[in-house]
């Protein structure tokens, strides 16, 4: 199944002000990491999803981890993802396996393994974890999708929650895309513009907090 919005859409010419706007919108604010009441791990097949979760736990930023993810209907799995060889594995299964292998106890982890997109990540997580019991939430996701995924959380979780992004950059065809260099490569511009289109569309649909 193809995504509604292409991963790499045609990008218009962007001026300096538009680049700055898109950086703030898609990557979100650059916030210093600190201890939080819980950690929310958006689903995915990139190793960053579990490596950053392990790092956050080992640095004692968090003690409770909420893992999400079935199998995406539109995404392209990372070529090294373990689930590529085991179709019965969910994205949550692989993430949890890595967390436990790193020594994180089972009682520190709650999860859902049925979601197929970011909206479902949040809605299904609400069925297994009471977010009204926490005041701050550390969030793990790809850096260039931070804005959209934080807005999804903000739309559906308690209003006064504080969010601390704990993200990782992603590499496409050998080119890393991060908040400082995305505008310098064609792949970076396409990926970020695609995120802008998603924020605009899903905001209108009510899936996330609109711009």
């Amino acid at each position: 199944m193809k995504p509604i919005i292409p991963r790499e859409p045609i990008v218009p010419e962007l001026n300096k002000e538009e680049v700055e706007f898109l950086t703030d919108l898609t990557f979100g604010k650059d916030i210093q990491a600190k201890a939080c009441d819980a950690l929310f791990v958006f689903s995915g097949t990139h190793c960053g999803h579990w490596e950053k979760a392990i790092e956050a736990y080992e640095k004692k930023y968090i003690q409770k981890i909420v893992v999400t993810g079935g199998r995406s209907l539109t995404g392209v799995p990372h070529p090294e993802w373990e689930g590529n060889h085991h179709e019965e594995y969910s994205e949550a299964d692989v993430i949890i396996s890595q967390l436990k292998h790193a020594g994180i106890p089972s009682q520190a982890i709650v999860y859902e393994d049925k979601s197929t997109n970011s909206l479902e990540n949040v809605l299904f997580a609400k069925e297994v974890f009471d977010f009204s019991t926490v005041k701050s939430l550390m969030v793990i996701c790809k850096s260039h999708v931070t804005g959209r995924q934080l807005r999804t959380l903000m739309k559906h979780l308690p209003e006064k929650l504080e969010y601390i992004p704990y993200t990782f950059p992603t590499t496409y065809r050998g080119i890393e895309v991060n908040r400082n260099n995305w505008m310098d490569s064609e792949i970076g511009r396409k990926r970020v513009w695609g995120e802008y289109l998603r924020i605009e569309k899903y905001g209108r649909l009510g899936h996330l907090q609109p711009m």
Side-chain angles (χ1 to χ4, degrees):
M1 180 183 295
K2 292 184 178 180
I4 296 174
I5 297 172
R7 300 291 178 187
E8 300 177 15
I10 296 173
V11 185
E13 290 294 326
L14 302 171
N15 60 37
K16 181 180 178 181
E17 290 73 23
E18 290 167 334
V19 166
E20 292 175 352
F21 168 77
L22 289 171
T23 300
D24 290 340
L25 180 69
T26 60
F27 288 87
K29 295 180 180 179
D30 192 5
I31 301 174
Q32 183 70 32
K34 67 176 184 178
C36 292
D37 296 327
L39 175 70
F40 190 100
V41 184
F42 273 99
S43 64
T45 60
H46 190 285
C47 60
H49 291 276
W50 55 85
E51 289 177 348
K52 293 296 287 186
I54 293 168
E55 181 179 290
Y57 188 85
E58 291 179 343
K59 288 187 175 183
K60 303 187 184 304
Y61 286 141
I62 45 86
Q63 294 184 327
K64 197 71 175 181
I65 303 174
V66 182
V67 178
T68 66
R71 292 182 75 107
S72 173
L73 300 178
T74 60
V76 178
H78 191 281
E80 298 178 4
W81 184 54
E82 185 178 351
N84 287 330
H85 307 292
H86 304 277
E87 292 186 2
E88 71 278 11
Y89 286 10
S90 68
E91 294 175 12
D93 287 334
V94 176
I95 293 170
I96 292 168
S97 174
Q98 294 291 335
L99 299 184
K100 290 182 177 180
H101 183 71
I104 298 176
S106 298
Q107 58 266 31
I109 304 168
V110 296
Y111 70 95
E112 67 78 20
D113 59 1
K114 304 300 181 185
S115 59
T116 62
N117 56 48
S118 296
L119 175 61
E120 290 182 353
N121 288 166
V122 178
L123 297 181
F124 293 177
K126 291 174 65 176
E127 298 177 1
V128 299
F129 186 78
D130 183 1
F131 290 94
S132 69
T133 63
V134 299
K135 295 181 179 179
S136 58
L137 196 64
M138 181 168 275
V139 181
I140 289 180
C141 60
K142 295 176 181 177
S143 59
H144 70 286
V145 306
T146 303
R148 174 168 57 88
Q149 296 195 320
L150 283 184
R151 286 171 180 272
T152 306
L153 290 166
M154 291 173 182
K155 175 72 175 183
H156 301 282
L157 297 191
E159 185 176 342
K160 294 184 179 180
L161 259 178
E162 178 185 15
Y163 298 97
I164 304 297
Y166 201 60
T167 67
F168 57 94
T170 313
T171 299
Y172 299 101
R173 297 196 288 277
I175 299 174
E176 182 179 290
V177 176
N178 60 53
R179 72 179 302 122
N180 297 316
N181 75 356
W182 70 266
M183 67 293 293
D184 298 328
S185 66
E186 181 180 12
I187 187 67
R189 291 190 296 273
K190 287 183 175 181
R191 288 284 170 163
V192 167
W193 184 251
E195 280 303 306
Y196 164 73
L197 296 178
R198 288 179 183 83
I199 290 172
E200 186 181 48
K201 179 178 180 62
Y202 296 131
R204 290 198 308 269
L205 291 175
H207 295 182
L208 47 82
Q209 186 183 72
M211 293 185 289

